[in-house]
């Protein structure tokens, strides 16, 4: 293997990760649509030209950001499910893990929903739609399993209940942003989850 070429590839991957981190930081401070490649580059001490040595264009940066988000959310759900237990316990772990994730990365819901509201059907918008769609499917699978086990109302629609799960979390995120208290997300989520269980007719 060409050691120098290998080193350059590693350096580029590291720099790409830094640029993604910069976008997440910037999105905490301003609207995603206001983030420019110049501001991305400046955040990590690069020139705009240097940034384009690591990404072909601005959309390429956003694609990398959404790849990062997709990987983290999928991993979060998988870890919660692999810890074992019944479907309702899995849902609680996912709910609380999601709250902790957003407390750590408060820009994530902002950039997701900004893309979903975009009029253009860009690749990042398709990625955002896929992230939410796959999340809902995995939640619905847990709810379907709970229904099969008689743990929730027999009339429950898993797809609707999955939407409610995400809706409660989104409302929690909005309230925390209004209060400027993202650090309390996990505690508030722990208080809200029993209400979700009541809404879906959970049975002990």
């Amino acid at each position: 293997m060409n050691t120098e070429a290998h080193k350059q590839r590693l350096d580029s991957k590291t720099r790409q990760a830094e640029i993604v981190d910069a976008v997440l930081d910037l999105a905490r401070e301003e609207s995603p649509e206001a983030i420019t490649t110049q501001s991305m580059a400046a955040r990590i001490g690069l020139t705009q030209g240097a940034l384009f040595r690591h990404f072909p264009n601005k959309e390429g940066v956003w694609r990398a950001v959404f790849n990062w988000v997709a990987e983290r959310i999928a991993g979060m759900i998988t870890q919660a499910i692999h810890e074992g237990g019944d479907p309702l316990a899995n849902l609680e772990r996912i709910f609380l893990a999601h709250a902790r994730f957003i407390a750590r990365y408060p820009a994530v819901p902002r950039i997701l929903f900004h893309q979903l509201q975009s009029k253009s059907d860009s690749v990042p918008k398709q990625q955002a739609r896929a992230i939410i769609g796959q999340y809902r499917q995995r939640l619905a699978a847990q709810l379907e399993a709970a229904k099969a086990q008689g743990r929730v109302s027999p009339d429950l629609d898993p797809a609707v209940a999955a939407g409610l799960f995400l809706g409660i979390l989104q409302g929690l995120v909005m309230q925390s942003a209004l209060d400027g208290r993202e650090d309390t997300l996990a505690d508030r989520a722990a208080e809200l989850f029993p209400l979700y269980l009541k809404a879906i007719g959970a049975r002990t």
Side-chain angles (χ1 to χ4, degrees), residues 102-114:
I102 298 306
R104 184 175 180 184
Y105 300 106
V108 168
R110 180 181 295 185
I111 62 177
L112 274 173
F113 287 97
H114 175 265

Side-chain angles (χ1 to χ4, degrees), residues 77 80-81 90-98 135 139 165:
I77 297 171
I81 293 173
N90 292 342
L91 287 168
E92 182 175 14
R93 282 194 295 270
I94 294 169
F95 194 87
L96 298 180
H98 187 131
Y135 196 159
L139 292 173
F165 183 106

Side-chain angles (χ1 to χ4, degrees), residues 4 6 10 16 18 30 38 54-55 60-61 64 76 93 96-97 143 145-146 148-149 165 169-170 183 187 193:
E4 184 61 29
H6 182 58
L10 287 177
Q16 287 172 351
E18 289 177 349
E30 56 187 309
Q38 180 62 49
H54 304 287
F55 288 104
V61 177
M76 174 191 79
R93 282 194 295 270
L96 298 180
L143 289 157
Q149 295 173 13
F165 183 106
L169 280 166
Q170 182 62 14
D183 58 318
D187 290 338
F193 190 73

Side-chain angles (χ1 to χ4, degrees), residues 6 12 34 37 66 82 94 104 109 134 184:
H6 182 58
S12 184
T37 51
F66 282 101
H82 282 181
I94 294 169
R104 184 175 180 184
Q134 290 164 12
T184 65

